[in-house]
Amino acid sequence: MTASVPKSPRDEPDRHEGTAARGHGTRRFVRDNGISLGFGIAFLLALAGQAIAGWAEFNNQLATDGLAQIGFLGYLASSDFAVDVTENWQSEYLQFFLYIFATVWLLQRGSPESKKMDKAGPETDEDQLMGGHARPDSPRWAGVGGARQAVFSRSLGLVMAGLFLLSWLAQSIAGAAAYNEQQLRQLQAPIDWTQYLASADFWSRSLQNWQSELLAVASMAIFSVYLRQRGSPESKPVGTPHTSTGIEG
């Protein structure tokens, strides 16, 4: 029987190196995706807060009406929660859809949110690194031409438009259900979805969100001409003249 030879420390895998590499990879991932991770976590926290506050408010209303209260999971599955969430989502995606497409043509002198004053329109293939001007590291569809290039060159706005329409549709369906629940509590006749689309409730929910989003965009465009935020890419460098357009820090 052969005696076993103790392994030298050099023969052992360096577990610390593997752990350090994984830790470095995690830190790099967090740093590379800080904006999306930060706002994603903030979104989930805000959504959770909305759900808890909305549940309490909904049960208070049920108690006022002399009806049985519901549990938290029941509220999350309710049309009231769904319509409150989706009416905000649709307005946000509408804001970005309009902003993305409108800023192709609309300009604001002095704002970093605007293109330079001589760049109105879709710009040339050379400006956009499309077709024969695509670089080796450009996305593949930027240089292929045809329908794929046409779709890819507008893909950001199209996705935002699609998300707006889907969330607006979801708002209308959930809103109709919530409206009809309220109608039945008041012993009134429910209405169908098409009638709800023409109702004051649907348009009040939609327009109160749209006006706030449009105001925020207009405010950002004009405030960024004269105000600065050191280190932010949404602001011009602090010492840049007010009239400088399309320059970000």
Side-chain angles (χ1 to χ4, degrees), residues 137-150:
D137 59 349
S138 295
R140 187 161 59 91
W141 280 23
V144 296
R148 287 181 295 173
Q149 185 187 81

Side-chain angles (χ1 to χ4, degrees), residues 123-139:
E123 304 182 20
T124 65
D125 286 358
E126 182 178 3
D127 290 332
Q128 292 291 309
L129 302 178
M130 294 168 57
H133 301 283
R135 301 185 309 201
D137 59 349
S138 295

Side-chain angles (χ1 to χ4, degrees), residues 90 168 171 202-213:
Q90 59 88 3
W168 200 25
Q171 177 202 332
F202 175 67
W203 285 104
S204 176
R205 285 179 176 274
S206 297
L207 292 169
Q208 71 177 342
N209 284 282
W210 294 359
Q211 57 85 13
S212 63
E213 302 298 342

Side-chain angles (χ1 to χ4, degrees), residues 6-200:
K7 290 185 177 181
S8 166
R10 295 181 180 179
D11 296 331
E12 291 286 343
D14 193 338
R15 297 177 182 177
H16 294 292
E17 283 188 10
T19 303
R22 286 192 296 272
H24 177 71
T26 300
R27 288 194 299 271
R28 181 174 180 179
F29 176 81
V30 171
R31 179 182 179 184
D32 289 352
N33 298 277
I35 293 176
S36 54
L37 289 173
F39 279 89
I41 292 170
F43 158 73
L44 293 175
L45 292 174
L47 184 63
Q50 178 188 350
I52 294 169
W55 175 45
E57 180 184 12
F58 187 72
N59 275 334
N60 287 339
Q61 185 61 50
L62 290 177
T64 300
D65 294 340
L67 300 172
Q69 298 185 354
I70 63 173
F72 184 62
L73 293 180
Y75 177 70
L76 292 182
S78 71
S79 56
D80 281 79
F81 179 64
V83 69
D84 287 345
V85 170
T86 53
E87 75 177 51
N88 285 286
W89 289 3
Q90 59 88 3
S91 65
E92 297 294 339
Y93 286 121
L94 175 66
Q95 175 195 38
F96 282 110
F97 159 64
L98 292 178
Y99 191 68
I100 289 164
F101 274 104
T103 52
V104 173
W105 296 97
L106 301 181
L107 307 173
Q108 178 66 53
R109 183 177 298 278
S111 175
E113 300 294 314
S114 169
K115 297 191 293 184
K116 294 183 181 296
M117 302 305 292
D118 61 346
K119 292 292 186 179
E123 304 182 20
T124 65
D125 286 358
E126 182 178 3
D127 290 332
Q128 292 291 309
L129 302 178
M130 294 168 57
H133 301 283
R135 301 185 309 201
D137 59 349
S138 295
R140 187 161 59 91
W141 280 23
V144 296
R148 287 181 295 173
Q149 185 187 81
V151 170
F152 181 69
S153 66
R154 297 167 178 83
S155 56
L156 180 59
L158 291 174
V159 167
M160 291 297 176
L163 291 171
F164 158 64
L165 292 174
L166 287 174
S167 53
W168 200 25
L169 174 63
Q171 177 202 332
S172 70
I173 295 171
Y179 182 83
N180 281 332
E181 287 178 8
Q182 186 65 32
Q183 289 287 95
L184 292 173
R185 290 193 202 114
Q186 298 173 354
L187 303 180
Q188 297 181 15
I191 61 176
D192 63 30
W193 178 68
T194 56
Q195 291 175 308
Y196 180 72
L197 291 182
S199 71

